[in-house]
Amino acid sequence: MAALSSHPDKVSESERAAADVKFKSISKAYEILFDDDKRDAYDSHGMAAFEAGNPMSAEVDLDDLLSQMFGMGMNGAAGGGPGPRKPRKGDNEEQSYTVTLEELYKGKTTKFATRKNIVCKTCRGSGGKDKAKPKECSACHGRGMQQGLKSMGGGLMTQETVICNPCKGTGKVYRDKERCKKCKGERVVEEKKVLELYIPRGSKEGDKIKIEGEADQLPDQEPGDIVFNLVEAEHKTFQRAGPDLMAKVNIDLSEALCGFSRILVKHLDGRGIYVKHPRHGRGSLKTGSIIKVAGEGMPHKKSDLRGDLYLLIDVDFPDQDWLRKDQHVEKLQALLPKPGNPIQAETVDEVDYTEDVNLDNFGGEGGQGEQWEDEDDEDSSQPQCAQQ
């Protein structure tokens, strides 16, 4: 409504020039208010952050303008007064952190040493000696911001507003002899600190573990957070899908046919998972059979619930020469189920075959297919008659 009432077309001719300036300023206020990056720049540097690219910004005070529009300033203070600004929060520091499936199952607490910048206690973040007075930065003329060029690729460049490097965005610098001896005018010093990282049990890949307020400090800013992005290391036994686990289990042929009672797998916390699979009532197992153990999957975070464990059966057959005597073969055939009805065909060919092969060449051009040639290919080398 403020922008609409100040539109140049809504006022008389004599007021149009002033209304035009105010309308553009209100539009700029909306743009800064609803753009997070520009809002942060304003909170840190005021309208100086936009003066280089916006000559009208000096004509209208943005806080006064917003006070008229909403009864508040950019800092959120009620009424027309500017009030103290809340320090903006610094950038977070993100990094990957690899964890094992065992650590995700049981949870983990670890301590680590890190080096971070903290505000210099000697100069309290000013960068200068006590009672020293800084001068205006000649690089940015006290604005704390500069116009720079950014490559857009393809030889194209665009102009952008960046923090002035000589004054670190303050708009002021100290002479060499007036700089703080501790931080050398940098306003921050490096400190070694031991931090503790806690990973709750049941965490998963992609979870973010945050240590609040432990990123690098800057004067007049609330420090950001250190954020660890969890990366799950591959496990040799288990695969995870959400709260569930799956493991491949090998059993021999006698166990598949006659049943078993034994530990099938060692869990992530070291427990042996003991399974009884009797011969009677359950039937035989085959490769691809699945045994589900309820409640033995991954724990849910902040809960006593757990997922399930799926055991994928793979039956190991004995070597080919394990039956050497014919009478043993006959006894085994008598015990095993008889084959189904044979396939009937009018013409029957007995063929030779090869064992111990794989599918690496399946679909390739090997085999007898190499002996066949298209007649057109044979004739392609012969000279062709020219068309008349």
Side-chain angles (χ1 to χ4, degrees):
M1 292 297 293
L4 185 61
S5 62
S6 300
H7 196 282
D9 294 341
K10 300 291 184 179
V11 298
S12 62
E13 184 69 30
S14 60
E15 299 175 337
R16 187 160 296 175
D20 183 62
V21 172
K22 188 173 182 180
F23 177 77
K24 292 179 179 178
S25 298
I26 292 174
S27 300
K28 186 68 176 179
Y30 275 109
E31 181 182 347
I32 295 172
L33 185 63
F34 294 106
D35 186 295
D36 291 340
D37 293 335
K38 292 180 180 180
R39 176 74 176 265
D40 287 343
Y42 179 84
D43 288 343
S44 298
H45 308 287
M47 286 308 297
F50 311 98
E51 284 176 3
N54 182 26
M56 77 178 114
S57 59
E59 300 180 29
V60 178
D61 184 87
L62 194 57
D63 272 322
D64 289 344
L65 192 60
L66 288 172
S67 177
Q68 299 173 30
M69 292 162 57
F70 306 113
M72 59 181 290
M74 284 289 286
N75 52 17
R85 288 194 183 117
K86 180 181 178 181
R88 69 179 291 262
K89 187 172 183 178
D91 295 333
N92 292 338
E93 298 176 10
E94 296 201 21
Q95 55 186 290
S96 298
Y97 188 79
T98 302
V99 286
T100 65
L101 194 55
E102 286 86 353
E103 291 169 337
L104 295 174
Y105 182 84
K106 296 181 290 185
K108 179 182 180 180
T109 299
T110 183
K111 293 183 178 181
F112 63 97
T114 184
R115 306 192 73 88
K116 56 180 287 188
N117 290 333
I118 63 170
V119 175
C120 178
K121 296 179 181 178
T122 303
C123 66
R124 296 181 295 278
S126 69
K129 294 180 179 179
D130 191 29
K131 298 182 180 180
K133 294 184 179 181
K135 63 177 182 178
E136 182 181 280
C137 176
S138 59
C140 65
H141 304 291
R143 288 191 293 266
M145 308 291 286
Q146 288 181 304
Q147 291 296 308
L149 294 177
K150 180 181 179 181
S151 175
M152 299 291 289
L156 299 176
M157 305 293 289
T158 185
Q159 195 176 50
E160 65 174 355
T161 302
V162 296
I163 294 176
C164 176
N165 188 59
C167 67
K168 303 295 187 295
T170 64
K172 298 179 181 180
V173 294
Y174 288 93
R175 297 179 178 87
D176 290 345
K177 63 180 182 179
E178 294 178 336
R179 291 178 181 172
C180 172
K181 291 184 178 181
K182 180 72 174 178
C183 66
K184 306 296 189 296
E186 295 295 324
R187 305 195 297 160
V188 295
V189 294
E190 192 176 68
E191 177 189 65
K192 183 178 181 180
K193 189 172 183 179
V194 177
L195 300 176
E196 185 174 270
L197 175 64
Y198 169 65
I199 301 174
R201 65 187 184 95
S203 299
K204 62 183 182 299
E205 176 158 353
D207 282 358
K208 295 180 182 293
I209 307 298
K210 184 186 300 183
I211 304 180
E212 296 184 351
E214 291 296 348
D216 286 337
Q217 296 180 8
L218 283 174
D220 305 320
Q221 276 193 13
E222 178 186 347
D225 307 323
I226 299 179
V227 181
F228 292 93
N229 297 310
L230 297 187
V231 178
E232 181 182 310
E234 184 177 352
H235 199 273
K236 64 179 181 180
T237 302
F238 294 97
Q239 296 181 32
R240 180 182 185 180
D244 296 329
L245 292 172
M246 183 179 70
K248 180 181 176 182
V249 175
N250 290 80
I251 63 174
D252 59 36
L253 182 58
S254 64
E255 290 179 315
L257 296 175
C258 304
F260 56 85
S261 295
R262 67 177 177 92
I263 295 175
L264 288 186
V265 68
K266 190 175 181 180
H267 214 310
L268 295 168
D269 57 0
R271 292 179 297 118
I273 301 301
Y274 190 93
V275 175
K276 290 184 178 181
H277 190 275
R279 178 173 63 89
H280 298 290
R282 295 294 182 95
S284 60
L285 295 172
K286 58 185 178 181
T287 295
S289 295
I290 297 175
I291 295 175
K292 175 182 174 182
V293 185
E296 285 294 349
M298 294 293 293
H300 292 248
K301 285 197 296 185
K302 301 179 181 180
S303 171
D304 293 331
L305 297 176
R306 292 177 180 269
D308 300 324
L309 172 61
Y310 293 80
L311 301 177
L312 180 62
I313 300 299
D314 189 6
V315 179
D316 293 329
F317 277 74
D319 296 334
Q320 291 181 349
D321 59 349
W322 70 287
L323 281 178
R324 297 185 178 182
K325 297 181 179 181
D326 292 341
Q327 60 266 33
H328 291 166
V329 175
E330 292 173 358
K331 289 181 179 180
L332 183 61
Q333 286 178 332
L335 292 173
L336 293 176
K338 299 297 184 288
N341 296 328
I343 299 174
Q344 302 294 327
E346 295 182 1
T347 303
V348 178
D349 284 339
E350 184 175 353
V351 297
D352 294 328
Y353 60 90
T354 304
E355 296 184 76
D356 297 328
V357 297
N358 53 46
L359 295 176
D360 291 345
N361 294 324
F362 179 71
E365 297 181 356
Q368 293 185 345
E370 294 180 340
Q371 302 174 9
W372 294 90
E373 295 183 1
D374 196 299
E375 292 182 358
D376 292 338
D377 294 337
E378 294 179 355
D379 297 339
S380 61
S381 61
Q382 301 299 323
Q384 303 293 322
C385 294
Q387 298 292 330
Q388 298 295 325

